[in-house]
Amino acid sequence: MIRFVVIGITDSPQPFFPPEVLAIIKEGRVFSGGKRHHEIMKPFLPADAEWIDITAPIDDVFCKYKSQIAARPEDVCPQRDARSLTPQTIIVFASGDPLFFGFANTICQRMPEAEVQVFPTFNSLQMLAHRLLLPYHDMRIVSLTGRPWPDFDRALIEHAPKIGILTDREHTPATIARRMMDYGYTYYKIYIGEHLGNPTLEKVSVLTLEEAAKHDFAQPNCVIVVKSEQVSHFTHYHSLNRPFGLSDSSFALLDGREKMITKMPIRLLTLQALDLTCRQVLWDIGFCTGSVSIEARLLFPHLHIEAFEVRPECEAIIHENARRHGAPGIGVHIGDFRSVCCDAIATNGTPDAIFIGGHGGHLKDIMAKAKSYMQPGGIMVMNSVSSPVVDRLTDRPSSRQLFDEACHELDLIQYPPLHITLNDHNPIDILKCELPS
């Protein structure tokens, strides 16, 4: 049986260990951890200790673990105490609580057959909260360590009152502050802890977002942002009392053309047709102003959204509208959808909901390509101005006719269309189909 003992440490150069942990370290032979952990633990290690650095790629680290185990024949001793070490034991040092976004989780995922024992200490966010005398039982936890922004964006959209953030060299306190400011979430105060646990280097800062955005902070660090108790004077499109359905007048438009936006009532019915509560990935093809993507982002912040548009001038428009409404995290792709390489995009998740907001007369080709990426059971929706089978102005098949034909040719299950007339606008058909499971 391969065994790992994972010991949590802080950034202190003189860590304290209880007698049980000191005995394990004294008895150990193979140790592992980051380079910073190695420097801290050198005085505690036996003279004949072997050390395995935890560095990328992580596959190489686990190959070294397995090589160490293979090189040491199993010491079979049925009478041994369950906590005593065997030649198959590797002692790993990790930051804070090894089960809090920590390396013990990685071990359990990669070597589920291994026996794992954990001796935790306080994680960095707990330590920062302790320094601030800040209750943290209600804190939303987000890790940006080697991870992208979605979980943090979701916490902002949901107006989490207190967010604890694990950082890395890319997602620094300054970049976090700038992102919050870019999307209008300026009613938070930011707390930053550097080198927590190190009596010489430890530093705790309490700053405004504007101040934090201008500074560099020493690694390792962590962040807690707390919503101000006085936010009534903030005037944002994405206020705390965000409406159900964003006003059309709040969007920047393409060349000021009011017809180039999916109107709010139609937009909400479209999102209902997409059944987004139980979907994970939405593709918005032909986003124009981005109103559908932005409304979906705010109402369903768990969604991963990718938006496509052929007109280059729409890129600035969707970014402006996303900032206005506090909707970070929408992937934007400019180019003809038929020629855009979607393989890399799909690595973030294949769509189970697709909205076609524009097709430029190429609806069948777009639907065929979209279907090739869509998950079984996925929903595809488009809105079509109600018209005869043949458009009298262009003498070409109408969008409704093209949609019907594409569904038949692609073996998609059609739903009955929803026919809507909004004020004095042309009637709209909300068309929906499903890829069979």
Side-chain angles (χ1 to χ4, degrees):
M1 173 67 71
I2 300 173
R3 184 180 180 208
F4 289 89
V5 178
V6 191
I7 301 170
I9 62 174
T10 69
D11 207 42
S12 172
Q14 297 179 327
F16 167 80
F17 297 111
E20 181 182 13
V21 173
L22 287 173
I24 289 173
I25 295 172
K26 182 179 179 181
E27 190 180 346
R29 290 296 175 266
V30 181
F31 299 85
S32 186
K35 293 182 182 297
R36 180 168 54 90
H37 301 141
H38 194 187
E39 291 301 314
I40 293 172
M41 293 307 304
K42 276 181 180 178
F44 293 86
L45 302 181
D48 59 347
E50 298 181 43
W51 184 274
I52 300 173
D53 280 323
I54 299 177
T55 57
I58 204 69
D59 288 344
D60 291 352
V61 177
F62 278 87
C63 285
K64 292 177 182 177
Y65 290 164
K66 292 174 182 177
S67 297
Q68 283 288 341
I69 297 304
R72 295 169 177 270
E74 184 171 5
D75 180 16
V76 179
C77 181
Q79 304 302 319
R80 74 177 179 89
D81 183 89
R83 289 181 177 266
S84 67
L85 302 190
T86 72
Q88 287 72 37
T89 299
I90 296 176
I91 300 173
V92 180
F93 297 99
S95 297
D97 183 346
L99 289 172
F100 183 77
F101 298 99
F103 197 68
N105 299 321
T106 305
I107 294 172
C108 293
Q109 291 167 3
R110 290 184 171 252
M111 301 183 72
E113 76 284 358
E115 177 187 339
V116 180
Q117 184 180 8
V118 173
F119 293 92
T121 189
F122 290 119
N123 65 62
S124 59
L125 289 174
Q126 288 176 310
M127 294 175 68
L128 179 55
H130 294 162
R131 303 295 188 269
L132 299 167
L133 294 180
L134 182 70
Y136 59 88
H137 59 274
D138 57 346
M139 185 162 65
R140 180 89 162 259
I141 305 298
V142 172
S143 176
L144 294 176
T145 306
R147 293 172 169 86
W149 291 105
D151 287 344
F152 177 64
D153 293 342
R154 179 175 181 177
L156 289 179
I157 292 169
E158 294 177 347
H159 298 299
K162 191 183 299 176
I163 310 171
I165 308 156
L166 300 176
T167 64
D168 63 15
R169 296 186 182 278
E170 179 182 350
H171 304 90
T172 66
T175 59
I176 290 167
R178 286 194 290 268
R179 189 174 185 86
M180 296 176 72
M181 293 167 61
D182 283 347
Y183 289 94
Y185 293 94
T186 55
Y187 40 83
Y188 284 85
K189 181 172 286 188
I190 187 167
Y191 302 86
I192 302 155
E194 305 166 71
H195 288 292
L196 293 171
N198 188 312
T200 304
L201 301 177
E202 178 176 302
K203 182 179 179 182
V204 175
S205 304
V206 182
L207 303 171
T208 65
L209 295 178
E210 292 82 358
E211 292 168 337
K214 300 174 184 177
H215 284 80
D216 292 326
F217 299 90
Q219 290 279 354
N221 60 59
C222 65
V223 167
I224 297 175
V225 296
V226 180
K227 188 188 296 180
S228 170
E229 294 181 359
Q230 298 177 339
V231 296
S232 59
H233 64 286
F234 289 99
T235 55
H236 298 286
Y237 288 111
H238 60 291
S239 66
L240 298 181
N241 299 314
R242 182 185 291 135
F244 182 77
L246 301 172
S247 169
D248 296 338
S249 63
S250 67
F251 286 90
L253 303 175
L254 176 62
D255 298 327
R257 295 152 67 186
E258 294 183 2
K259 291 185 178 181
M260 299 299 288
I261 183 173
T262 303
K263 299 296 185 290
M264 185 261 284
I266 304 297
R267 194 161 62 239
L268 295 178
L269 287 170
T270 298
L271 298 182
Q272 184 277 332
L274 287 163
D275 191 25
L276 295 178
T277 302
C278 57
R279 306 287 164 179
Q280 298 300 317
V281 180
L282 169 66
W283 282 11
D284 179 3
I285 302 171
F287 63 74
C288 192
T289 63
S291 64
V292 170
S293 286
I294 290 167
E295 191 89 64
R297 187 80 181 105
L298 298 179
L299 291 177
F300 307 96
H302 71 279
L303 279 178
H304 181 92
I305 301 177
E306 304 287 352
F308 304 82
E309 174 58 54
V310 69
R311 290 167 289 203
E313 60 268 33
C314 290
E315 183 173 12
I317 293 173
I318 191 173
H319 286 307
E320 168 63 19
N321 285 328
R323 284 192 292 269
R324 284 188 184 188
H325 296 91
I330 298 172
V332 176
H333 312 278
I334 300 299
D336 189 329
F337 178 75
R338 295 173 298 162
S339 58
V340 171
C341 180
C342 296
D343 292 350
I345 299 170
T347 59
N348 294 321
T350 53
D352 50 6
I354 295 175
F355 173 64
I356 302 176
H359 56 82
H362 304 289
L363 180 59
K364 286 188 177 182
D365 291 340
I366 289 173
M367 289 181 66
K369 181 172 181 177
K371 179 201 171 185
S372 70
Y373 287 95
M374 192 161 61
Q375 297 179 30
I379 296 293
M380 194 181 302
V381 170
M382 73 165 288
N383 298 333
S384 170
V385 176
S386 301
S387 63
V389 173
V390 175
D391 190 316
R392 294 191 182 95
L393 296 178
T394 63
D395 199 33
R396 295 185 301 189
S398 66
S399 294
R400 169 68 185 276
Q401 176 67 12
L402 291 173
F403 185 85
D404 291 344
E405 292 176 2
C407 288
H408 176 73
E409 294 168 8
L410 298 171
D411 295 323
L412 298 171
I413 302 170
Q414 282 186 265
Y415 287 71
L418 182 61
H419 189 74
I420 299 293
T421 300
L422 179 64
N423 299 332
D424 57 351
H425 297 285
N426 292 325
I428 296 290
D429 289 330
I430 299 180
L431 309 176
K432 177 178 178 178
C433 62
E434 179 180 345
L435 178 63
S437 299

PDB file of all heavy atoms in Angstrom, residues 109-120:
ATOM      1  N   GLN A 109      -6.959  12.255  -6.302  1.00  0.00           N
ATOM      2  CA  GLN A 109      -7.468  12.139  -7.663  1.00  0.00           C
ATOM      3  C   GLN A 109      -6.568  11.259  -8.524  1.00  0.00           C
ATOM      4  O   GLN A 109      -7.057  10.438  -9.304  1.00  0.00           O
ATOM      5  CB  GLN A 109      -7.594  13.529  -8.287  1.00  0.00           C
ATOM      6  CG  GLN A 109      -8.692  14.387  -7.671  1.00  0.00           C
ATOM      7  CD  GLN A 109      -8.581  15.845  -8.078  1.00  0.00           C
ATOM      8  OE1 GLN A 109      -7.718  16.236  -8.869  1.00  0.00           O
ATOM      9  NE2 GLN A 109      -9.456  16.672  -7.515  1.00  0.00           N
ATOM     10  N   ARG A 110      -5.267  11.424  -8.387  1.00  0.00           N
ATOM     11  CA  ARG A 110      -4.343  10.727  -9.272  1.00  0.00           C
ATOM     12  C   ARG A 110      -3.974   9.331  -8.783  1.00  0.00           C
ATOM     13  O   ARG A 110      -3.616   8.476  -9.583  1.00  0.00           O
ATOM     14  CB  ARG A 110      -3.073  11.565  -9.468  1.00  0.00           C
ATOM     15  CG  ARG A 110      -3.325  12.824 -10.304  1.00  0.00           C
ATOM     16  CD  ARG A 110      -2.053  13.567 -10.555  1.00  0.00           C
ATOM     17  NE  ARG A 110      -2.283  14.630 -11.523  1.00  0.00           N
ATOM     18  CZ  ARG A 110      -1.847  14.613 -12.775  1.00  0.00           C
ATOM     19  NH1 ARG A 110      -1.171  13.566 -13.226  1.00  0.00           N
ATOM     20  NH2 ARG A 110      -2.071  15.627 -13.583  1.00  0.00           N
ATOM     21  N   MET A 111      -4.012   9.120  -7.486  1.00  0.00           N
ATOM     22  CA  MET A 111      -3.667   7.814  -6.926  1.00  0.00           C
ATOM     23  C   MET A 111      -4.736   7.402  -5.918  1.00  0.00           C
ATOM     24  O   MET A 111      -4.492   7.370  -4.702  1.00  0.00           O
ATOM     25  CB  MET A 111      -2.275   7.864  -6.291  1.00  0.00           C
ATOM     26  CG  MET A 111      -1.166   8.257  -7.254  1.00  0.00           C
ATOM     27  SD  MET A 111       0.486   8.240  -6.504  1.00  0.00           S
ATOM     28  CE  MET A 111       0.755   6.470  -6.347  1.00  0.00           C
ATOM     29  N   PRO A 112      -5.953   7.123  -6.391  1.00  0.00           N
ATOM     30  CA  PRO A 112      -7.050   6.811  -5.465  1.00  0.00           C
ATOM     31  C   PRO A 112      -6.797   5.583  -4.610  1.00  0.00           C
ATOM     32  O   PRO A 112      -7.462   5.395  -3.587  1.00  0.00           O
ATOM     33  CB  PRO A 112      -8.247   6.612  -6.405  1.00  0.00           C
ATOM     34  CG  PRO A 112      -7.656   6.307  -7.744  1.00  0.00           C
ATOM     35  CD  PRO A 112      -6.369   7.055  -7.806  1.00  0.00           C
ATOM     36  N   GLU A 113      -5.858   4.748  -5.029  1.00  0.00           N
ATOM     37  CA  GLU A 113      -5.557   3.548  -4.246  1.00  0.00           C
ATOM     38  C   GLU A 113      -4.642   3.843  -3.060  1.00  0.00           C
ATOM     39  O   GLU A 113      -4.450   2.994  -2.177  1.00  0.00           O
ATOM     40  CB  GLU A 113      -4.897   2.504  -5.152  1.00  0.00           C
ATOM     41  CG  GLU A 113      -3.428   2.766  -5.511  1.00  0.00           C
ATOM     42  CD  GLU A 113      -3.223   3.843  -6.571  1.00  0.00           C
ATOM     43  OE1 GLU A 113      -4.227   4.386  -7.067  1.00  0.00           O
ATOM     44  OE2 GLU A 113      -2.055   4.122  -6.913  1.00  0.00           O
ATOM     45  N   ALA A 114      -4.056   5.037  -3.018  1.00  0.00           N
ATOM     46  CA  ALA A 114      -3.084   5.362  -1.976  1.00  0.00           C
ATOM     47  C   ALA A 114      -3.766   5.631  -0.636  1.00  0.00           C
ATOM     48  O   ALA A 114      -4.916   6.077  -0.580  1.00  0.00           O
ATOM     49  CB  ALA A 114      -2.258   6.569  -2.393  1.00  0.00           C
ATOM     50  N   GLU A 115      -3.038   5.353   0.427  1.00  0.00           N
ATOM     51  CA  GLU A 115      -3.482   5.744   1.765  1.00  0.00           C
ATOM     52  C   GLU A 115      -2.955   7.146   2.030  1.00  0.00           C
ATOM     53  O   GLU A 115      -1.769   7.419   1.832  1.00  0.00           O
ATOM     54  CB  GLU A 115      -2.926   4.764   2.790  1.00  0.00           C
ATOM     55  CG  GLU A 115      -3.259   5.111   4.229  1.00  0.00           C
ATOM     56  CD  GLU A 115      -2.549   4.195   5.211  1.00  0.00           C
ATOM     57  OE1 GLU A 115      -2.143   3.074   4.815  1.00  0.00           O
ATOM     58  OE2 GLU A 115      -2.384   4.602   6.383  1.00  0.00           O
ATOM     59  N   VAL A 116      -3.827   8.040   2.448  1.00  0.00           N
ATOM     60  CA  VAL A 116      -3.444   9.440   2.647  1.00  0.00           C
ATOM     61  C   VAL A 116      -3.802   9.864   4.065  1.00  0.00           C
ATOM     62  O   VAL A 116      -4.929   9.658   4.522  1.00  0.00           O
ATOM     63  CB  VAL A 116      -4.149  10.369   1.634  1.00  0.00           C
ATOM     64  CG1 VAL A 116      -3.728  11.828   1.876  1.00  0.00           C
ATOM     65  CG2 VAL A 116      -3.829   9.957   0.201  1.00  0.00           C
ATOM     66  N   GLN A 117      -2.834  10.446   4.754  1.00  0.00           N
ATOM     67  CA  GLN A 117      -3.044  10.997   6.079  1.00  0.00           C
ATOM     68  C   GLN A 117      -2.669  12.477   6.047  1.00  0.00           C
ATOM     69  O   GLN A 117      -1.636  12.856   5.472  1.00  0.00           O
ATOM     70  CB  GLN A 117      -2.194  10.265   7.114  1.00  0.00           C
ATOM     71  CG  GLN A 117      -2.431  10.725   8.549  1.00  0.00           C
ATOM     72  CD  GLN A 117      -1.559   9.952   9.532  1.00  0.00           C
ATOM     73  OE1 GLN A 117      -0.680   9.191   9.138  1.00  0.00           O
ATOM     74  NE2 GLN A 117      -1.788  10.158  10.825  1.00  0.00           N
ATOM     75  N   VAL A 118      -3.501  13.326   6.634  1.00  0.00           N
ATOM     76  CA  VAL A 118      -3.314  14.774   6.537  1.00  0.00           C
ATOM     77  C   VAL A 118      -3.159  15.384   7.923  1.00  0.00           C
ATOM     78  O   VAL A 118      -3.918  15.064   8.844  1.00  0.00           O
ATOM     79  CB  VAL A 118      -4.515  15.427   5.800  1.00  0.00           C
ATOM     80  CG1 VAL A 118      -4.411  16.943   5.855  1.00  0.00           C
ATOM     81  CG2 VAL A 118      -4.590  14.948   4.356  1.00  0.00           C
ATOM     82  N   PHE A 119      -2.162  16.269   8.066  1.00  0.00           N
ATOM     83  CA  PHE A 119      -1.978  17.086   9.260  1.00  0.00           C
ATOM     84  C   PHE A 119      -2.057  18.550   8.824  1.00  0.00           C
ATOM     85  O   PHE A 119      -1.067  19.126   8.369  1.00  0.00           O
ATOM     86  CB  PHE A 119      -0.624  16.800   9.920  1.00  0.00           C
ATOM     87  CG  PHE A 119      -0.515  15.427  10.511  1.00  0.00           C
ATOM     88  CD1 PHE A 119      -0.006  14.369   9.763  1.00  0.00           C
ATOM     89  CD2 PHE A 119      -0.918  15.184  11.823  1.00  0.00           C
ATOM     90  CE1 PHE A 119       0.091  13.099  10.306  1.00  0.00           C
ATOM     91  CE2 PHE A 119      -0.822  13.907  12.369  1.00  0.00           C
ATOM     92  CZ  PHE A 119      -0.314  12.861  11.611  1.00  0.00           C
ATOM     93  N   PRO A 120      -3.219  19.165   8.923  1.00  0.00           N
ATOM     94  CA  PRO A 120      -3.382  20.523   8.394  1.00  0.00           C
ATOM     95  C   PRO A 120      -2.944  21.597   9.373  1.00  0.00           C
ATOM     96  O   PRO A 120      -2.796  21.362  10.579  1.00  0.00           O
ATOM     97  CB  PRO A 120      -4.893  20.614   8.163  1.00  0.00           C
ATOM     98  CG  PRO A 120      -5.469  19.749   9.257  1.00  0.00           C
ATOM     99  CD  PRO A 120      -4.478  18.610   9.434  1.00  0.00           C
TER     100      PRO A 120
END
